[in-house]
């Protein structure tokens, strides 16, 4: 099995597990006659699918980095350097 197949399998497994728990807890919302309640419940399922993908695709990251990805926070950028890569030896760029 290729790495992408493993990732897809992990996504499906995570989503299946999370979604089945959510559907059990929110079955009334999902079958509500109120369209707004149904829409919120469907968005929650979509969020669970997103989280499943992020978690399955980021096994190489720390838990805090995965949390930042799930919350939509951008990754911190390294501080800008005035010096070039040789530690300041040579000309500075203008």
């Amino acid at each position: 099995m290729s790495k992408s197949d493993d990732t897809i399998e992990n996504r499906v497994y995570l989503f299946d597990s999370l979604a089945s728990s959510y559907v059990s807890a929110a079955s009334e919302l999902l079958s509500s006659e109120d369209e707004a309640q149904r829409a919120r419940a469907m968005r929650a399922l979509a969020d669970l699918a997103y989280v499943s993908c992020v978690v399955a695709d980021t096994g190489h990251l720390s838990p805090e980095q995965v949390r930042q990805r799930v919350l939509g926070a951008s990754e911190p950028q390294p501080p800008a350097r005035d010096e070039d890569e040789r530690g300041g030896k040579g000309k500075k760029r203008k």
Side-chain angles (χ1 to χ4, degrees):
M1 192 179 292
S2 73
K3 181 160 176 58
S4 65
D5 290 341
D6 287 343
T7 299
I8 291 168
E9 186 176 326
N10 288 340
R11 287 177 173 187
V12 170
Y13 175 77
L14 286 169
F15 179 69
D16 180 50
S17 179
L18 292 171
S20 66
S21 294
Y22 177 74
V23 168
S24 294
S27 60
E28 288 181 26
L29 292 175
L30 289 164
S31 61
S32 173
E33 291 186 18
D34 183 353
E35 188 174 330
Q37 284 186 335
R38 281 194 320 273
R40 280 193 300 276
M42 293 301 289
R43 276 194 302 277
L45 281 172
D47 288 343
L48 290 174
Y50 175 78
V51 167
S52 298
C53 291
V54 170
V55 170
D57 294 349
T58 56
H60 62 287
L61 298 177
S62 72
E64 180 59 30
Q65 290 170 314
V66 173
R67 180 182 179 276
Q68 288 175 347
R69 292 251 178 118
V70 168
L71 294 175
S74 62
E75 291 186 35
Q77 298 297 317
R81 293 179 55 173
D82 289 333
E83 301 172 354
D84 68 306
E85 294 301 317
R86 294 175 291 170
K89 298 176 183 169
K91 295 181 181 178
K92 288 186 179 180
R93 295 183 183 195
K94 293 183 180 179

